[in-house]
Amino acid sequence: MNIRIRHANKNDLSAMLEIYNEVVLNSPATFDLVEQSLESREQWFKQFDEQYPIIVAEQAEEILGYSCLTKFRPKPAYASTVEDSIYIKSKARGHGVGSMLLEKLINEAKKNNHHSIIAVIANDERSSVQLHEKFGYEKTGLIKEAGYKFDRWHDIHFYQLILEYK
């Protein structure tokens, strides 16, 4: 696969929305319960910048997935801790796209002097856990029955990577 990893731009929003809404409808990977509109995602997109990037994986001008770093919590003491999110188009899963995106996110976090990256994973979802553990994330916490989706309660597991600088 000849995949290009790059920073997202507004022209990518429709493709990212399609990927996200597929996850909304079919997975507890997000606790959104209804599909998002393009207008709501345009507002969402405004939070990203050099410090908190959003990255896409693209092949032959098709967006296969995207990832981003967001503020972990709004209080100032959390400023060096970020949260990652990764969403992959269903047909592209299992082909290394997530690894490429996460590797780029980790490098972006280091470049921006972040200290720690948190991944919040619903139900200890195996593929997401394996991806994060591959890059050195460690399980650091659990919140039982944190969200209700698809007629059942879902736990969330916290995974963390402390960034080391050389």
Side-chain angles (χ1 to χ4, degrees):
M1 292 179 97
N2 187 18
I3 298 172
R4 180 177 163 217
I5 305 298
R6 62 170 174 79
H7 286 264
N9 62 60
K10 280 190 171 187
N11 295 330
D12 301 321
L13 271 173
S14 291
M16 291 188 302
L17 175 64
E18 182 181 319
I19 292 166
Y20 187 75
N21 280 339
E22 191 246 334
V23 175
V24 168
L25 295 175
N26 298 297
S27 171
T30 177
F31 282 179
D32 273 328
L33 299 175
V34 297
E35 292 178 284
Q36 300 296 294
S37 68
L38 185 57
E39 294 77 24
S40 70
R41 292 315 260 186
E42 287 170 347
Q43 290 302 311
W44 164 84
F45 189 80
K46 291 178 182 178
Q47 73 182 299
F48 299 102
D49 57 21
E50 187 74 22
Q51 185 82 6
Y52 302 98
I54 185 165
I55 309 295
V56 294
E58 177 182 54
Q59 181 182 45
E61 299 184 24
E62 177 184 9
I63 302 300
L64 301 177
Y66 69 94
S67 59
C68 57
L69 293 176
T70 54
K71 293 179 180 182
F72 176 64
R73 298 284 183 263
K75 295 181 179 167
Y78 291 114
S80 294
T81 299
V82 291
E83 182 175 339
D84 75 27
S85 296
I86 302 171
Y87 298 101
I88 310 296
K89 191 175 245 185
S90 58
K91 75 174 193 176
R93 293 180 192 140
H95 298 286
V97 175
S99 291
M100 289 183 253
L101 287 167
L102 186 53
E103 180 176 27
K104 177 68 171 170
L105 274 187
I106 291 168
N107 289 334
E108 290 285 321
K110 287 179 178 179
K111 181 178 93 175
N112 288 295
N113 297 312
H114 293 301
H115 175 69
S116 173
I117 308 174
I118 306 296
V120 181
I121 302 172
N123 297 336
D124 222 5
E125 213 290 311
R126 188 150 199 74
S127 61
S128 188
V129 168
Q130 288 173 340
L131 172 64
H132 285 85
E133 287 180 341
K134 173 181 172 181
F135 285 91
Y137 284 68
E138 295 178 1
K139 188 173 184 177
T140 56
L142 163 70
I143 299 176
K144 294 181 179 183
E145 300 183 3
Y148 192 79
K149 187 174 182 179
F150 304 132
D151 297 321
R152 71 183 195 95
W153 289 103
H154 297 273
D155 298 343
I156 56 172
H157 301 259
F158 286 81
Y159 284 77
Q160 181 178 28
L161 178 66
I162 302 292
L163 300 172
E164 296 181 22
Y165 299 91
K166 300 195 183 221

